[in-house]
């Protein structure tokens, strides 16, 4: 009997990881109902990370009222299991998806809501908290989050600074004693799918600020604020965030969490470990995976690259589907991907595929499996 492991990430604005896996399974079963399909939904620290981890850890849903990036109260959701392992996403409290496109302005947005989520989990007895850093709409270096946890920031006159973006450039001294006391022995794990540092050309602001709504002038203002923040941190804690990979994740939230002692992990490596992926695939004939966009960046810590590297150890063919597959994605062939297919081959536009994503992924998987069976 043929065994196929189906391990997709979400297709942004189209399918969750679970929906994508089910669509591929339907396509295969249409051709051959006897195929043994094992579904392992994936994520890499971005959208869908909480959902995937909650399933693997048998976590229950927790709801908490927090402030969104502009201070409006919303209900955010995270998960926690009976062993005190909590999982949450930045996107649930300060995600770019919470801000209408015309209102996106990172010079006004704060990560305060994430701090409120963390505090809620700690009050409920969390012993370990896993935080997915994808999809943020903020660029405050974690200033808002730290304030929500009880951090105090003082200016050069030792006056307490208000909780607003303009305060970052005025920080002279940081007091994290209340935060460390609150955290106690709780272990923090950061899951991120990018390697960007805190500042500089490959830092939080210049790589991600524009897509969060910042203009050229605003980018310079945000960068100067984070550079100042970074210098204060280096002077007071002897930590140079300009050298710490993933510190620029989620508008610098990665750096703030590193300051609190968080362990920085590749999102896909964490998911592969928690789901025991390597154990499940060892006797598979094929692995089918996919995500919204497969491009030159996919090889750098994205879902498909993590899966391919493990599959290569066991010489298992990896078939990857994307809503979009660019020519420069061919670097994936070097790390274990066998073939790449775009589901938009079935339609004329990407926007159409986003609307009918599940149907076209199912059709594409159906066609590819027929091709495999014919060989």
């Amino acid at each position: 009997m043929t065994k196929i492991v189906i391990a997709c990430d979400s297709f942004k604005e189209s399918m969750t990881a679970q929906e994508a896996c089910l669509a591929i399974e339907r396509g295969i079963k249409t051709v051959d109902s006897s195929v043994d399909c094992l579904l392992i939904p994936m994520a890499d620290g971005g959208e869908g990370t909480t959902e995937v981890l909650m399933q693997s850890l048998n976590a229950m849903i927790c709801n908490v009222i927090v402030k969104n990036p502009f201070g409006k109260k919303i209900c955010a959701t995270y998960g926690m299991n009976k062993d005190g392992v909590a999982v949450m996403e930045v996107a649930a409290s300060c995600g770019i998806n919470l801000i209408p496109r015309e209102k996106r302005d990172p010079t006004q947005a704060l990560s305060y809501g994430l701090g409120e989520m963390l505090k809620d989990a700690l009050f409920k007895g969390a012993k370990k908290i896993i935080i997915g850093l994808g999809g943020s709409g903020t660029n405050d270096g974690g200033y808002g989050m730290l304030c929500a946890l009880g951090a105090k920031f003082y200016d050069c006159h030792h006056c307490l600074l208000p909780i607003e973006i303009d305060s970052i450039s005025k920080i002279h001294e940081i007091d994290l004693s209340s935060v460390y006391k609150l955290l106690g022995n709780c272990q923090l794990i950061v899951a991120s799918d990018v390697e960007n540092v805190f500042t500089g050309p490959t830092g939080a602001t210049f790589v991600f600020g524009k897509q969060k709504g910042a203009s050229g002038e605003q980018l310079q203002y945000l960068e100067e604020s984070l550079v100042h923040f970074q210098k204060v941190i280096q002077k007071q804690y002897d930590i140079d965030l300009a050298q710490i990979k993933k510190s620029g994740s989620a508008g610098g939230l990665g750096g703030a969490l590193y300051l609190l002692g968080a362990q920085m992990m590749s999102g896909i490596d964490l998911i592969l470990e928690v789901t025991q992926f390597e154990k499940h695939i060892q006797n598979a004939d094929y692995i089918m995976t996919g995500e919204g966009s497969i491009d030159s960046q996919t090889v750098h810590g994205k879902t498909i690259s993590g899966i391919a590297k493990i599959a290569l150890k066991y010489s298992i063919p990896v078939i990857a589907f994307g809503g979009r597959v660019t020519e420069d994605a061919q670097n994936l062939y070097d790390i274990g991907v066998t073939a790449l297919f775009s589901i938009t081959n079935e339609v004329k536009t990407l926007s159409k595929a986003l609307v009918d994503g599940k149907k076209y992924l199912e059709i594409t998987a159906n066609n590819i499996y027929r091709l495999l069976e014919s060989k």
Side-chain angles (χ1 to χ4, degrees):
M1 180 188 294
T2 302
K3 177 180 177 179
I4 299 179
V5 172
I6 304 173
C8 289
D9 200 339
S10 61
F11 284 59
K12 193 172 183 180
E13 297 181 42
S14 177
M15 291 172 279
T16 65
Q18 178 73 14
E19 289 173 335
C21 289
L22 287 169
I24 290 177
E25 182 186 38
R26 286 194 300 270
I28 293 169
K29 292 285 190 179
T30 301
V31 181
D32 185 350
S33 60
S34 70
V35 176
D36 177 19
C37 292
L38 175 61
L39 278 58
I40 310 177
M42 288 281 119
D44 55 19
E47 178 188 7
T49 298
T50 297
E51 180 183 0
V52 170
L53 286 174
M54 282 182 66
Q55 291 177 18
S56 297
L57 296 170
N58 196 26
M60 302 293 290
I61 293 174
C62 298
N63 295 311
V64 57
I65 301 300
V66 303
K67 292 180 180 178
N68 78 356
F70 295 141
K72 181 181 177 181
K73 290 187 176 181
I74 60 170
C75 181
T77 299
Y78 67 94
M80 188 158 70
N81 67 12
K82 60 181 178 60
D83 297 320
V85 180
V87 292
M88 60 183 65
E89 292 178 23
V90 166
S93 58
C94 46
I96 195 167
N97 58 300
L98 300 174
I99 311 169
R101 187 174 296 275
E102 67 277 7
K103 294 184 179 180
R104 291 174 185 172
D105 181 0
T107 65
Q108 301 298 319
L110 286 167
S111 58
Y112 195 89
L114 178 62
E116 293 178 300
M117 289 180 72
L118 289 167
K119 187 185 290 187
D120 188 74
L122 290 165
F123 285 161
K124 288 176 177 171
K127 299 173 184 176
K128 178 193 290 186
I129 304 177
I130 301 170
I131 308 153
L133 291 189
S136 79
T138 60
N139 200 100
D140 68 348
Y143 176 77
M145 176 202 70
L146 292 171
C147 288
L149 288 172
K152 292 180 172 59
F153 296 88
Y154 298 95
D155 65 15
C156 59
H157 304 294
H158 202 68
C159 293
L160 187 65
L161 288 164
I163 304 171
E164 58 187 29
I165 290 287
D166 287 346
S167 294
I168 300 173
S169 62
K170 302 171 186 175
I171 297 171
H172 182 72
E173 183 183 346
I174 306 169
D175 180 3
L176 295 177
S177 56
S178 294
V179 184
Y180 292 137
K181 184 177 180 180
L182 177 65
L183 287 172
N185 295 320
C186 181
Q187 180 185 7
L188 298 179
I189 298 177
V190 167
S192 172
D193 64 350
V194 300
E195 296 289 295
N196 303 79
V197 295
F198 203 67
T199 60
T202 61
T205 302
F206 289 132
V207 174
F208 303 110
K210 190 173 181 180
Q211 69 190 47
K212 296 177 183 182
S215 64
E217 187 176 330
Q218 288 174 323
L219 288 174
Q220 193 59 42
Y221 163 76
L222 291 166
E223 176 69 0
E224 289 173 1
S225 295
L226 290 194
V227 167
H228 176 77
F229 196 5
Q230 178 179 281
K231 287 178 179 178
V232 177
I233 290 171
Q234 184 170 9
K235 180 180 178 181
Q236 193 168 333
Y237 297 96
D238 195 26
I239 294 173
D240 184 6
L241 294 179
Q243 303 300 319
I244 305 298
K245 289 182 179 181
K246 301 185 185 301
S247 63
S249 299
L253 271 164
L257 288 162
Y258 183 84
L259 181 60
L260 298 182
Q263 177 185 354
M264 315 292 273
M265 287 192 69
S266 157
I268 183 56
D269 287 348
L270 175 65
I271 297 291
L272 291 169
E273 178 184 312
V274 172
T275 59
Q276 298 183 307
F277 185 79
E278 186 166 353
K279 172 185 173 182
H280 292 304
I281 63 121
Q282 291 178 20
N283 62 343
D285 296 289
Y286 301 101
I287 296 173
M288 291 193 174
T289 181
E291 56 186 296
S293 178
I294 303 177
D295 51 41
S296 61
Q297 294 302 306
T298 305
V299 74
H300 300 295
K302 297 287 188 177
T303 293
I304 293 171
S305 66
I307 289 172
K309 288 171 185 176
I310 292 179
L312 189 60
K313 290 170 59 176
Y314 300 95
S315 300
I316 302 171
V318 176
I319 314 299
F321 303 98
R324 179 185 70 159
V325 179
T326 62
E327 288 187 12
D328 53 12
Q330 294 184 24
N331 53 14
L332 288 166
Y333 294 134
D334 298 328
I335 63 166
V337 173
T338 307
L340 298 168
F341 295 95
S342 171
I343 65 172
T344 54
N345 289 341
E346 303 290 341
V347 291
K348 292 184 178 179
T349 65
L350 178 58
S351 60
K352 178 69 173 173
L354 291 175
V355 173
D356 298 325
K358 289 186 283 293
K359 181 173 72 173
Y360 291 108
L361 181 55
E362 181 179 335
I363 293 170
T364 309
N366 180 308
N367 291 340
I368 298 309
Y369 186 69
R370 288 180 188 276
L371 180 63
L372 293 171
E373 285 293 277
S374 68
K375 290 186 176 182

